[in-house]
Amino acid sequence: MDSGKGHDALDRRPQLRAALAHAKKYKCHLGVAKLDRLSRDVHFISGLMVHRVPFLVAELGADVDPFVLHLFAALAEKERTLIGTRTRAALAAAKVRGVKLGNPDLQGARERAIHQIRQAADNHAVAVLPLIQQIQQNGANSLRQIADRLNAQGILGPRGGAWHATSVRNVLARGL
């Protein structure tokens, strides 16, 4: 079913796709508080109606006439257009006033994120390095053997998953 806003509109709304599939599978109504929370697109709403997808809009009640649904859908679509127009105008006005739009410190945000990731990796390496050294003392000669023993002991890898030879090598390379 096309939403009128692009062939991938349901792909961009996976929870709605799942709810529609659930309603179809169990032959039940899809419930929404307000029609504009379902869609602000007349074509999408009328498509649901044509495909006989049962949905209930709480603010309109269970016995709402299809004509009234179309009217509310048209109003929601118009409101979407007005919201977009107002947003674009407000952003343009802010830009004229010299407001820097977006993240003004994107590079700083990147650097902070990298620092946090490195710090987490360092903390994990500090915690697991004694275990690796103990495994080496007990006869594990290769990175693969160390990784296998860490996995066998249920020790989580640096990213919360399994250990691999490269993840063991990276911990050893940190030299902490």
Side-chain angles (χ1 to χ4, degrees):
M1 179 182 321
D2 183 25
S3 74
K5 207 175 169 195
H7 66 283
D8 66 340
L10 284 178
D11 292 336
R12 290 182 279 122
R13 295 181 70 191
Q15 290 179 327
L16 177 57
R17 178 183 289 280
L20 288 169
H22 183 83
K24 182 177 181 180
K25 179 178 179 181
Y26 294 103
K27 297 182 176 135
C28 62
H29 283 71
L30 175 66
V32 293
K34 296 174 63 178
L35 188 64
D36 65 357
R37 301 319 315 143
L38 180 57
S39 179
R40 290 185 183 264
D41 188 320
V42 175
H43 181 70
F44 184 81
I45 299 297
S46 64
L48 291 176
M49 294 166 66
V50 167
H51 286 88
R52 300 196 185 282
V53 175
F55 61 93
L56 175 66
V57 180
E59 75 174 349
L60 300 178
D63 297 325
V64 66
D65 184 70
F67 176 73
V68 174
L69 276 175
H70 276 95
L71 287 175
F72 273 84
L75 289 171
E77 187 172 305
K78 180 64 175 175
E79 180 62 17
R80 179 186 70 201
T81 303
L82 293 173
I83 289 169
T85 301
R86 288 190 304 260
T87 301
R88 284 187 295 279
L91 288 171
K95 201 171 185 179
V96 166
R97 289 191 314 270
V99 174
K100 188 171 183 181
L101 302 177
N103 187 345
D105 187 22
L106 186 58
Q107 185 59 34
R110 284 183 181 139
E111 290 169 5
R112 287 187 297 279
I114 289 169
H115 175 75
Q116 288 174 345
I117 291 167
R118 285 186 180 145
Q119 187 63 48
D122 285 346
N123 292 343
H124 187 264
V126 165
V128 80
L129 192 57
L131 296 171
I132 291 175
Q133 291 168 340
Q134 182 181 7
I135 290 169
Q136 287 174 318
Q137 290 172 358
N138 290 333
N141 297 321
S142 72
L143 297 174
R144 177 75 257 156
Q145 289 173 336
I146 296 169
D148 289 343
R149 290 191 188 173
L150 288 167
N151 288 328
Q153 292 178 24
I155 308 298
L156 294 178
R159 295 185 181 172
W163 282 92
H164 304 281
T166 54
S167 48
V168 173
R169 182 194 68 212
N170 292 342
V171 167
L172 293 172
R174 290 192 107 72
L176 299 172

